Amino acid sequence: MTTSTNAPKPQTAINYSRTTATATRVLRQLTHDPRTIALMILIPCVMLFLLRYVFDGSPRTFDNIGASLLGIFPLITMFLVTSIATLRERTSGTLERLLAMPLGKADLIAGYALAFGALAIIQSALATGLAVWFLDLDVTGSPWLLLVVALLDALLGTALGLFVSAFAASEFQAVQFMPAVIFPQLLLCGLFTPRDNMHPALEAISDVLPMSYAVDGMNEVLNHPDMTTTFLRDTLIVAACAFLVLTLGAATLKRRTL
């Protein structure tokens, strides 16, 4: 059997036009699924609203954990929605047809990240605005810094969702990855107890989990009026983790659906 010399070759560099075309297609499809958009944009706001009035008699408790959850909620929702939406296109054969075209893996992953990242900006802005200006979340630092961390957390959730979708064969399996990928980070990120109070082995594990630095970054804004070097370190680690996971997602993306 001979191979045509005109067959499309894998692209190694990101092509701007192909990436934006992919992002536009994904956003156009999402506009036909209002429930998914509502899940991504409104659920974090609803959860923050409920949390505020769960601690109605103890506003300081809401201040202590509200900033952390402002970063955690977007990460979780973007992880769920991205993993399921990407897997749906994978199992339907859409990804295979796209990759048969002159479209590189990096173009595809970047396009998905750009599309879901645009929604992450809206989600993070709404959640941050609600928490600070309507639910009276008391932060010492700038609310804009809260928004930066919340956005990076949402992008990290998007990257993790794109990555794990490569290892799931069904939407149910994609949801099953949540206990394996998200729950350990949630327990070890310092939300329930300071990380330095944990068993040394668990503290060492928490030191390599990106959600730990997301929570630390939020706490820096909560307790310091100015941008600190620790805040910069935490945000850079979260951003680097998101970039690394997106790179791994492109590397594990298969050109043929099994």
Side-chain angles (χ1 to χ4, degrees):
M1 184 175 66
T2 60
T3 303
S4 172
T5 58
N6 295 325
K9 297 180 180 180
Q11 303 291 323
T12 56
I14 294 178
N15 182 282
Y16 175 78
S17 60
R18 297 189 184 111
T19 298
T20 53
T22 300
T24 301
R25 180 187 63 82
V26 173
L27 289 173
R28 187 181 299 114
Q29 289 181 335
L30 286 173
T31 59
H32 300 294
D33 190 357
R35 287 177 297 183
T36 298
I37 295 178
L39 175 64
M40 284 190 290
I41 294 178
L42 298 181
I43 290 300
C45 295
V46 173
M47 297 300 292
L48 286 169
F49 184 84
L50 290 175
L51 186 69
R52 168 63 181 84
Y53 290 102
V54 164
F55 297 108
D56 190 41
S58 179
R60 187 58 188 168
T61 302
F62 176 71
D63 292 337
N64 289 335
I65 67 173
S68 298
L69 292 176
L70 186 59
I72 291 174
F73 286 156
L75 190 155
I76 294 175
T77 56
M78 293 304 294
F79 172 84
L80 279 174
V81 172
T82 305
S83 59
I84 292 174
T86 307
L87 182 65
R88 188 178 299 167
E89 294 213 328
R90 186 188 302 275
T91 55
S92 67
T94 301
L95 288 182
E96 185 175 345
R97 291 191 296 271
L98 289 172
L99 289 173
M101 302 168 61
L103 180 69
K105 295 180 180 181
D107 298 330
L108 189 63
I109 290 294
Y112 275 85
L114 185 62
F116 286 108
L119 292 173
I121 293 174
I122 300 174
Q123 179 198 69
S124 301
L126 287 176
T128 303
L130 175 70
V132 174
W133 287 295
F134 290 94
L135 299 181
D136 298 322
L137 178 67
D138 186 17
V139 293
T140 303
S142 170
W144 293 105
L145 296 181
L146 282 182
L147 176 59
V148 169
V149 183
L151 175 58
L152 288 175
D153 293 342
L155 293 176
L156 176 61
T158 298
L160 289 170
L162 289 170
F163 177 66
V164 303
S165 68
F167 304 98
S170 66
E171 294 180 16
F172 179 67
Q173 287 186 8
V175 174
Q176 286 180 312
F177 271 104
M178 185 172 175
V181 176
I182 300 297
F183 285 178
Q185 297 192 67
L186 187 62
L187 292 174
L188 299 177
C189 68
L191 177 65
F192 301 103
T193 186
R195 292 195 290 131
D196 54 10
N197 290 345
M198 298 178 185
H199 187 280
L202 294 181
E203 183 181 0
I205 295 174
S206 73
D207 287 340
V208 299
L209 298 177
M211 191 182 290
S212 299
Y213 297 95
V215 170
D216 287 350
M218 287 295 191
N219 288 333
E220 285 295 305
V221 181
L222 184 67
N223 298 313
H224 298 86
D226 300 315
M227 185 185 302
T228 64
T229 55
T230 302
F231 173 83
L232 290 175
R233 181 206 65 183
D234 294 335
T235 53
L236 287 175
I237 289 175
V238 174
C241 288
F243 178 78
L244 175 61
V245 174
L246 284 176
T247 303
L248 292 174
T252 57
L253 190 63
K254 300 176 182 177
R255 289 188 166 265
R256 180 171 296 276
T257 304
L258 299 178

Coordinates of all heavy atoms in Angstrom, one line a residue, residues 68-160:
S68 N -10.3 31.4 49.1 CA -9.7 30.1 48.6 C -10.7 29.4 47.7 O -10.4 29.0 46.6 CB -9.4 29.2 49.8 OG -8.4 29.7 50.6
L69 N -12.0 29.4 48.1 CA -13.0 28.8 47.2 C -13.3 29.5 46.0 O -13.7 29.0 45.0 CB -14.3 28.6 48.0 CG -14.2 27.6 49.2 CD1 -15.5 27.6 50.0 CD2 -13.9 26.2 48.7
L70 N -13.0 30.8 46.0 CA -13.1 31.6 44.8 C -12.2 31.1 43.7 O -12.5 31.3 42.5 CB -12.8 33.1 45.1 CG -13.0 34.1 44.0 CD1 -14.5 34.1 43.6 CD2 -12.6 35.5 44.5
G71 N -11.1 30.5 44.1 CA -10.2 29.9 43.1 C -10.5 28.4 42.8 O -10.4 27.9 41.7
I72 N -11.0 27.7 43.8 CA -11.3 26.3 43.7 C -12.5 26.0 42.9 O -12.5 25.1 42.0 CB -11.4 25.7 45.1 CG1 -10.1 25.7 45.8 CG2 -11.9 24.2 45.0 CD1 -10.1 25.2 47.2
F73 N -13.6 26.8 43.1 CA -14.9 26.5 42.4 C -14.7 26.6 40.8 O -15.1 25.7 40.1 CB -16.0 27.4 42.8 CG -16.5 27.1 44.2 CD1 -17.1 28.1 45.0 CD2 -16.5 25.8 44.7 CE1 -17.7 27.8 46.2 CE2 -17.0 25.5 45.9 CZ -17.6 26.5 46.7
P74 N -14.0 27.7 40.3 CA -13.8 27.8 38.9 C -13.0 26.6 38.3 O -13.2 26.1 37.3 CB -13.1 29.1 38.7 CG -13.6 29.9 39.8 CD -13.6 29.0 41.0
L75 N -12.0 26.2 39.1 CA -11.1 25.1 38.7 C -11.9 23.8 38.5 O -11.8 23.1 37.5 CB -10.0 24.9 39.7 CG -8.8 23.9 39.3 CD1 -7.6 24.3 40.1 CD2 -9.2 22.5 39.6
I76 N -12.8 23.5 39.5 CA -13.6 22.3 39.4 C -14.6 22.3 38.3 O -14.7 21.4 37.5 CB -14.3 22.1 40.8 CG1 -13.3 21.8 41.9 CG2 -15.3 20.9 40.7 CD1 -13.9 21.7 43.3
T77 N -15.3 23.4 38.1 CA -16.3 23.5 37.1 C -15.7 23.4 35.7 O -16.2 22.7 34.8 CB -17.2 24.7 37.2 OG1 -16.4 25.9 37.2 CG2 -18.0 24.7 38.5
M78 N -14.6 24.1 35.5 CA -13.9 24.1 34.2 C -13.4 22.7 33.9 O -13.4 22.3 32.8 CB -12.8 25.2 34.1 CG -13.4 26.6 34.2 SD -14.6 27.0 32.9 CE -13.6 26.8 31.4
F79 N -12.9 22.0 34.9 CA -12.4 20.7 34.7 C -13.5 19.8 34.2 O -13.3 19.0 33.3 CB -11.8 20.1 36.0 CG -11.4 18.7 36.0 CD1 -10.2 18.3 35.5 CD2 -12.3 17.7 36.5 CE1 -9.9 16.9 35.5 CE2 -12.0 16.4 36.5 CZ -10.8 16.0 35.9
L80 N -14.6 19.8 34.9 CA -15.7 18.9 34.5 C -16.3 19.2 33.1 O -16.4 18.3 32.3 CB -16.9 19.1 35.6 CG -16.8 18.3 36.9 CD1 -17.9 18.7 37.8 CD2 -16.8 16.8 36.6
V81 N -16.5 20.5 32.9 CA -17.1 20.8 31.6 C -16.2 20.6 30.4 O -16.5 20.0 29.4 CB -17.6 22.3 31.6 CG1 -18.0 22.7 30.2 CG2 -18.7 22.5 32.6
T82 N -14.9 20.9 30.6 CA -13.9 20.8 29.5 C -13.7 19.3 29.2 O -13.6 18.9 28.1 CB -12.6 21.4 29.9 OG1 -12.8 22.8 30.2 CG2 -11.6 21.4 28.7
S83 N -13.5 18.5 30.3 CA -13.3 17.1 30.0 C -14.4 16.4 29.3 O -14.2 15.6 28.4 CB -13.0 16.3 31.4 OG -14.1 16.5 32.3
I84 N -15.6 16.7 29.7 CA -16.8 16.1 29.1 C -17.0 16.6 27.7 O -17.3 15.8 26.8 CB -18.1 16.3 30.0 CG1 -17.9 15.6 31.3 CG2 -19.3 15.9 29.3 CD1 -19.1 15.9 32.3
A85 N -16.9 17.9 27.5 CA -17.1 18.4 26.2 C -16.1 17.9 25.2 O -16.4 17.6 24.0 CB -17.1 20.0 26.2
T86 N -14.8 17.8 25.6 CA -13.8 17.4 24.7 C -14.0 15.9 24.4 O -13.8 15.4 23.3 CB -12.4 17.6 25.3 OG1 -12.3 19.0 25.7 CG2 -11.3 17.2 24.4
L87 N -14.3 15.1 25.4 CA -14.5 13.7 25.2 C -15.7 13.4 24.3 O -15.7 12.5 23.4 CB -14.8 13.0 26.5 CG -15.0 11.5 26.4 CD1 -13.7 10.8 25.9 CD2 -15.4 10.9 27.8
R88 N -16.7 14.3 24.4 CA -17.9 14.1 23.5 C -17.5 14.3 22.0 O -17.9 13.6 21.1 CB -18.9 15.2 23.8 CG -20.3 15.0 23.1 CD -21.2 16.1 23.6 NE -21.5 16.0 25.1 CZ -22.1 16.9 25.8 NH1 -22.5 18.0 25.2 NH2 -22.3 16.7 27.1
E89 N -16.6 15.2 21.7 CA -16.1 15.4 20.4 C -15.2 14.3 20.0 O -15.1 13.9 18.8 CB -15.4 16.7 20.2 CG -16.3 17.9 20.4 CD -15.9 19.1 19.6 OE1 -14.7 19.3 19.3 OE2 -16.8 19.9 19.1
R90 N -14.4 13.7 20.9 CA -13.5 12.6 20.6 C -14.4 11.4 20.3 O -14.1 10.7 19.3 CB -12.7 12.3 21.9 CG -11.6 11.3 21.6 CD -10.9 11.0 22.9 NE -10.3 12.1 23.5 CZ -9.1 12.6 23.2 NH1 -8.4 12.0 22.3 NH2 -8.6 13.7 23.8
T91 N -15.4 11.0 21.1 CA -16.1 9.8 20.8 C -17.0 9.9 19.6 O -17.4 8.9 19.0 CB -17.0 9.5 22.1 OG1 -17.8 10.6 22.4 CG2 -16.1 9.1 23.2
S92 N -17.4 11.2 19.3 CA -18.3 11.3 18.1 C -17.5 11.3 16.8 O -18.1 11.3 15.7 CB -19.0 12.7 18.2 OG -18.2 13.8 18.1
G93 N -16.2 11.3 16.9 CA -15.3 11.3 15.7 C -15.0 12.7 15.2 O -14.2 12.8 14.2
T94 N -15.4 13.7 15.8 CA -15.1 15.1 15.4 C -13.6 15.3 15.4 O -13.0 15.9 14.5 CB -15.9 16.1 16.2 OG1 -17.3 15.9 16.1 CG2 -15.5 17.5 15.7
L95 N -13.0 14.9 16.5 CA -11.5 15.2 16.6 C -10.7 14.4 15.6 O -9.8 15.0 15.0 CB -11.0 14.8 18.0 CG -11.4 15.7 19.2 CD1 -10.8 15.2 20.5 CD2 -11.0 17.1 18.9
E96 N -11.1 13.2 15.3 CA -10.4 12.4 14.3 C -10.6 13.1 12.9 O -9.6 13.2 12.1 CB -11.0 11.0 14.2 CG -10.3 10.1 13.3 CD -10.8 8.7 13.4 OE1 -11.5 8.3 14.3 OE2 -10.5 7.9 12.4
R97 N -11.7 13.6 12.6 CA -11.9 14.3 11.3 C -11.1 15.6 11.2 O -10.5 15.9 10.2 CB -13.4 14.6 11.1 CG -14.3 13.3 10.8 CD -15.6 13.7 10.3 NE -16.4 14.4 11.3 CZ -17.2 13.9 12.2 NH1 -17.3 12.6 12.3 NH2 -17.9 14.6 13.1
L98 N -11.1 16.3 12.3 CA -10.3 17.5 12.4 C -8.8 17.3 12.2 O -8.1 18.0 11.5 CB -10.5 18.3 13.7 CG -11.9 18.9 13.8 CD1 -12.1 19.4 15.3 CD2 -12.1 20.1 12.8
L99 N -8.3 16.2 12.8 CA -6.9 15.9 12.8 C -6.5 15.3 11.4 O -5.3 15.2 11.1 CB -6.5 15.0 13.9 CG -6.5 15.7 15.3 CD1 -6.3 14.6 16.4 CD2 -5.5 16.8 15.4
A100 N -7.5 14.9 10.6 CA -7.2 14.4 9.3 C -6.9 15.6 8.4 O -6.4 15.4 7.3 CB -8.3 13.6 8.8
M101 N -7.3 16.8 8.8 CA -7.0 18.0 8.0 C -5.6 18.5 8.4 O -5.0 18.0 9.3 CB -8.1 19.0 8.4 CG -9.5 18.5 8.1 SD -10.8 19.6 8.8 CE -10.4 21.1 7.9
P102 N -5.2 19.6 7.7 CA -3.9 20.2 8.0 C -4.0 21.0 9.3 O -3.8 22.2 9.4 CB -3.6 21.1 6.8 CG -4.5 20.7 5.7 CD -5.7 20.1 6.4
L103 N -4.3 20.3 10.4 CA -4.5 20.9 11.7 C -3.6 20.2 12.7 O -3.7 19.0 12.9 CB -6.0 20.8 12.1 CG -6.3 21.5 13.5 CD1 -6.2 23.0 13.4 CD2 -7.7 21.0 13.9
G104 N -2.7 20.9 13.3 CA -1.8 20.3 14.2 C -2.4 20.1 15.6 O -3.4 20.7 15.9
K105 N -1.8 19.2 16.3 CA -2.3 18.9 17.7 C -2.3 20.2 18.6 O -3.2 20.4 19.3 CB -1.5 17.8 18.3 CG -1.7 16.4 17.6 CD -0.9 15.4 18.4 CE -1.0 14.0 17.7 NZ -0.2 13.0 18.4
A106 N -1.2 20.9 18.4 CA -1.0 22.1 19.2 C -2.1 23.1 18.9 O -2.6 23.8 19.7 CB 0.4 22.7 19.0
D107 N -2.4 23.2 17.5 CA -3.5 24.1 17.1 C -4.8 23.8 17.8 O -5.6 24.6 18.2 CB -3.6 24.1 15.6 CG -2.4 24.5 14.9 OD1 -1.6 25.4 15.4 OD2 -2.2 24.0 13.7
L108 N -5.1 22.5 17.8 CA -6.4 22.0 18.3 C -6.5 22.2 19.8 O -7.4 22.8 20.3 CB -6.5 20.5 18.0 CG -7.9 19.9 18.4 CD1 -9.0 20.5 17.5 CD2 -7.8 18.4 18.1
I109 N -5.4 21.9 20.6 CA -5.4 22.0 22.0 C -5.5 23.5 22.4 O -6.2 24.0 23.2 CB -4.2 21.4 22.6 CG1 -4.3 19.9 22.6 CG2 -4.0 21.8 24.1 CD1 -5.4 19.3 23.4
A110 N -4.7 24.3 21.6 CA -4.7 25.8 21.9 C -6.0 26.4 21.6 O -6.5 27.3 22.3 CB -3.6 26.5 21.1
G111 N -6.7 25.9 20.5 CA -8.0 26.4 20.2 C -9.0 26.1 21.3 O -9.8 27.0 21.7
Y112 N -9.0 24.9 21.8 CA -9.9 24.5 22.9 C -9.6 25.4 24.1 O -10.5 25.8 24.8 CB -9.8 23.0 23.2 CG -10.7 22.2 22.3 CD1 -10.2 21.7 21.1 CD2 -11.9 21.8 22.7 CE1 -11.0 20.9 20.3 CE2 -12.7 20.9 22.0 CZ -12.2 20.5 20.7 OH -13.0 19.7 19.9
A113 N -8.3 25.5 24.4 CA -7.9 26.3 25.6 C -8.4 27.7 25.5 O -8.8 28.4 26.4 CB -6.4 26.2 25.8
L114 N -8.3 28.3 24.2 CA -8.7 29.7 24.0 C -10.2 29.8 24.2 O -10.6 30.8 24.8 CB -8.2 30.1 22.6 CG -8.5 31.6 22.2 CD1 -7.7 32.5 23.1 CD2 -8.0 31.8 20.7
A115 N -10.9 28.9 23.6 CA -12.4 29.0 23.7 C -12.9 28.9 25.2 O -13.6 29.7 25.7 CB -13.0 27.9 22.9
F116 N -12.4 27.8 25.9 CA -12.8 27.7 27.3 C -12.2 28.8 28.2 O -12.7 29.1 29.2 CB -12.4 26.3 27.8 CG -13.3 25.2 27.2 CD1 -12.8 24.3 26.3 CD2 -14.6 25.1 27.6 CE1 -13.6 23.3 25.8 CE2 -15.4 24.1 27.1 CZ -15.0 23.2 26.2
G117 N -11.0 29.3 27.8 CA -10.4 30.3 28.5 C -11.2 31.6 28.4 O -11.3 32.4 29.4
A118 N -11.8 31.9 27.3 CA -12.7 33.1 27.2 C -13.9 33.0 28.1 O -14.2 33.9 28.8 CB -13.2 33.2 25.7
L119 N -14.4 31.8 28.2 CA -15.5 31.6 29.2 C -15.0 31.6 30.6 O -15.7 32.1 31.5 CB -16.2 30.2 29.0 CG -17.0 30.1 27.6 CD1 -17.5 28.7 27.4 CD2 -18.2 31.1 27.7
A120 N -13.8 31.2 30.8 CA -13.2 31.3 32.2 C -13.0 32.7 32.6 O -13.2 33.0 33.8 CB -11.8 30.6 32.2
I121 N -12.7 33.6 31.7 CA -12.6 35.0 32.1 C -13.9 35.6 32.6 O -14.0 36.2 33.6 CB -12.1 35.8 30.8 CG1 -10.7 35.5 30.5 CG2 -12.2 37.3 31.1 CD1 -10.2 36.1 29.2
I122 N -15.0 35.2 31.8 CA -16.3 35.7 32.2 C -16.7 35.1 33.6 O -17.2 35.8 34.5 CB -17.4 35.3 31.2 CG1 -17.0 36.0 29.9 CG2 -18.8 35.7 31.6 CD1 -17.9 35.5 28.7
Q123 N -16.4 33.8 33.7 CA -16.8 33.1 35.0 C -16.0 33.7 36.2 O -16.6 34.0 37.2 CB -16.4 31.6 34.8 CG -16.7 30.8 36.1 CD -15.9 29.5 36.0 OE1 -14.7 29.5 36.1 NE2 -16.6 28.4 35.9
S124 N -14.7 33.9 36.0 CA -13.9 34.4 37.1 C -14.3 35.8 37.5 O -14.3 36.2 38.6 CB -12.4 34.4 36.7 OG -12.0 33.0 36.4
A125 N -14.6 36.7 36.4 CA -15.0 38.1 36.7 C -16.3 38.1 37.5 O -16.4 38.9 38.4 CB -15.1 38.8 35.4
L126 N -17.2 37.3 37.1 CA -18.5 37.3 37.8 C -18.4 36.8 39.2 O -19.0 37.4 40.1 CB -19.5 36.5 37.0 CG -20.1 37.0 35.7 CD1 -21.0 36.0 35.0 CD2 -20.9 38.3 35.9
A127 N -17.6 35.7 39.4 CA -17.5 35.2 40.7 C -16.8 36.2 41.6 O -17.1 36.4 42.8 CB -16.8 33.8 40.7
T128 N -15.7 36.8 41.1 CA -14.9 37.7 41.9 C -15.8 38.9 42.3 O -15.8 39.4 43.4 CB -13.6 38.1 41.2 OG1 -12.9 37.0 40.9 CG2 -12.8 39.1 42.0
G129 N -16.4 39.5 41.3 CA -17.3 40.7 41.5 C -18.4 40.4 42.5 O -18.7 41.2 43.4
L130 N -19.0 39.2 42.4 CA -20.1 38.8 43.4 C -19.5 38.7 44.8 O -20.1 39.3 45.7 CB -20.7 37.5 42.9 CG -21.7 36.9 43.9 CD1 -23.0 37.8 43.9 CD2 -22.0 35.5 43.6
A131 N -18.4 38.0 44.9 CA -17.8 37.8 46.3 C -17.4 39.1 46.9 O -17.6 39.3 48.1 CB -16.6 36.9 46.2
V132 N -16.7 40.0 46.2 CA -16.1 41.2 46.7 C -17.2 42.3 46.9 O -17.3 43.0 48.0 CB -15.0 41.7 45.9 CG1 -14.4 43.0 46.4 CG2 -13.8 40.6 45.9
W133 N -18.0 42.6 45.9 CA -18.8 43.7 45.9 C -20.3 43.5 46.4 O -21.0 44.4 46.8 CB -18.8 44.4 44.6 CG -17.5 45.1 44.3 CD1 -17.0 46.2 45.0 CD2 -16.6 44.8 43.3 NE1 -15.8 46.5 44.5 CE2 -15.5 45.7 43.5 CE3 -16.5 43.8 42.3 CZ2 -14.3 45.6 42.7 CZ3 -15.3 43.7 41.6 CH2 -14.3 44.6 41.7
F134 N -20.7 42.2 46.4 CA -22.1 41.9 46.8 C -22.1 41.1 48.0 O -23.1 41.2 48.8 CB -22.9 41.3 45.6 CG -23.1 42.2 44.5 CD1 -22.3 42.2 43.4 CD2 -24.2 43.0 44.5 CE1 -22.5 43.1 42.3 CE2 -24.5 43.9 43.4 CZ -23.6 43.9 42.3
L135 N -21.2 40.2 48.2 CA -21.2 39.3 49.4 C -20.2 39.8 50.4 O -20.0 39.1 51.5 CB -20.8 37.9 49.0 CG -21.8 37.2 48.0 CD1 -21.3 35.8 47.6 CD2 -23.2 37.2 48.5
D136 N -19.6 41.0 50.2 CA -18.7 41.6 51.2 C -17.6 40.8 51.7 O -17.2 40.7 52.8 CB -19.6 42.0 52.4 CG -20.7 43.1 52.0 OD1 -20.4 43.9 51.2 OD2 -21.8 43.0 52.6
L137 N -17.0 40.1 50.7 CA -15.7 39.3 51.1 C -14.7 40.4 51.4 O -14.3 41.2 50.6 CB -15.3 38.5 49.9 CG -14.0 37.7 50.1 CD1 -14.2 36.6 51.2 CD2 -13.5 37.0 48.8
D138 N -14.1 40.3 52.6 CA -13.2 41.3 53.1 C -11.8 40.8 52.8 O -11.2 39.9 53.4 CB -13.3 41.4 54.6 CG -12.5 42.6 55.2 OD1 -12.0 43.4 54.4 OD2 -12.3 42.6 56.4
V139 N -11.1 41.5 51.8 CA -9.8 41.2 51.4 C -8.9 42.4 51.7 O -9.3 43.5 51.4 CB -9.7 40.7 50.0 CG1 -10.4 39.4 49.8 CG2 -10.3 41.8 49.0
T140 N -7.7 42.2 52.1 CA -6.7 43.3 52.4 C -6.1 43.8 51.1 O -5.9 45.0 50.9 CB -5.6 42.8 53.3 OG1 -6.2 42.3 54.5 CG2 -4.7 43.9 53.7
G141 N -5.9 42.9 50.1 CA -5.2 43.3 48.9 C -6.3 43.7 47.8 O -7.5 43.9 48.1
S142 N -5.8 43.8 46.6 CA -6.6 44.3 45.5 C -7.5 43.2 45.0 O -7.1 42.1 44.8 CB -5.7 44.8 44.4 OG -6.5 45.1 43.2
P143 N -8.8 43.5 44.8 CA -9.7 42.5 44.2 C -9.2 42.0 42.8 O -9.5 40.9 42.3 CB -11.0 43.2 44.1 CG -11.0 44.3 45.1 CD -9.5 44.7 45.2
W144 N -8.5 42.9 42.1 CA -8.0 42.5 40.8 C -7.0 41.4 40.9 O -6.9 40.6 40.0 CB -7.3 43.7 40.1 CG -8.3 44.8 39.8 CD1 -8.5 46.0 40.4 CD2 -9.3 44.8 38.7 NE1 -9.5 46.7 39.8 CE2 -10.0 46.0 38.8 CE3 -9.7 43.8 37.8 CZ2 -11.1 46.3 37.9 CZ3 -10.7 44.1 36.9 CH2 -11.4 45.3 37.0
L145 N -6.2 41.3 42.0 CA -5.3 40.2 42.2 C -6.1 38.9 42.4 O -5.7 37.8 42.0 CB -4.4 40.5 43.3 CG -3.4 41.7 43.1 CD1 -2.5 41.8 44.3 CD2 -2.6 41.5 41.9
L146 N -7.2 39.0 43.1 CA -8.1 37.9 43.3 C -8.5 37.4 41.9 O -8.6 36.2 41.6 CB -9.3 38.2 44.1 CG -9.2 38.3 45.6 CD1 -10.5 38.6 46.2 CD2 -8.6 37.0 46.2
L147 N -8.9 38.3 41.0 CA -9.4 37.9 39.7 C -8.3 37.2 38.9 O -8.5 36.2 38.2 CB -9.8 39.2 39.0 CG -10.3 39.0 37.5 CD1 -11.4 38.0 37.4 CD2 -10.7 40.3 36.9
V148 N -7.1 37.7 39.0 CA -5.9 37.0 38.3 C -5.8 35.6 38.8 O -5.7 34.7 37.9 CB -4.6 37.8 38.6 CG1 -3.4 37.0 38.1 CG2 -4.7 39.2 37.9
V149 N -5.8 35.3 40.1 CA -5.7 34.0 40.6 C -6.9 33.1 40.2 O -6.7 32.0 39.8 CB -5.5 33.9 42.1 CG1 -5.2 32.5 42.6 CG2 -4.3 34.8 42.5
A150 N -8.1 33.7 40.3 CA -9.3 32.9 39.9 C -9.2 32.5 38.4 O -9.6 31.4 38.0 CB -10.5 33.7 40.2
L151 N -8.8 33.4 37.6 CA -8.6 33.2 36.1 C -7.6 32.1 35.9 O -7.8 31.1 35.1 CB -8.3 34.4 35.4 CG -8.0 34.3 33.9 CD1 -9.3 33.7 33.2 CD2 -7.7 35.6 33.3
L152 N -6.5 32.2 36.5 CA -5.4 31.1 36.4 C -5.9 29.8 36.8 O -5.6 28.7 36.2 CB -4.2 31.5 37.1 CG -3.4 32.7 36.5 CD1 -2.2 33.0 37.4 CD2 -2.8 32.3 35.1
D153 N -6.7 29.8 37.9 CA -7.3 28.5 38.4 C -8.2 27.9 37.4 O -8.3 26.7 37.2 CB -8.0 28.7 39.7 CG -7.0 29.1 40.8 OD1 -5.8 28.8 40.7 OD2 -7.4 29.6 41.9
A154 N -9.1 28.8 36.8 CA -10.0 28.3 35.8 C -9.3 27.7 34.6 O -9.7 26.7 34.0 CB -11.0 29.4 35.4
L155 N -8.2 28.4 34.2 CA -7.4 27.9 33.1 C -6.7 26.6 33.4 O -6.6 25.7 32.5 CB -6.4 29.0 32.7 CG -6.9 30.3 32.1 CD1 -5.8 31.3 31.8 CD2 -7.7 30.0 30.8
L156 N -6.3 26.5 34.7 CA -5.7 25.2 35.1 C -6.8 24.1 35.0 O -6.5 23.0 34.6 CB -5.2 25.3 36.5 CG -4.6 24.0 37.1 CD1 -3.4 23.5 36.3 CD2 -4.2 24.3 38.6
G157 N -8.0 24.4 35.5 CA -9.0 23.4 35.4 C -9.3 23.0 33.9 O -9.6 21.8 33.6
T158 N -9.3 24.0 33.0 CA -9.4 23.7 31.6 C -8.3 22.8 31.1 O -8.6 21.8 30.4 CB -9.4 25.0 30.8 OG1 -10.5 25.8 31.2 CG2 -9.5 24.8 29.3
A159 N -7.1 23.1 31.5 CA -6.0 22.3 31.0 C -6.1 20.8 31.5 O -5.9 19.9 30.8 CB -4.7 22.9 31.5
L160 N -6.4 20.7 32.8 CA -6.6 19.3 33.4 C -7.7 18.6 32.7 O -7.6 17.4 32.5 CB -6.9 19.5 34.9 CG -5.7 19.9 35.8 CD1 -6.1 20.2 37.2 CD2 -4.6 18.8 35.8

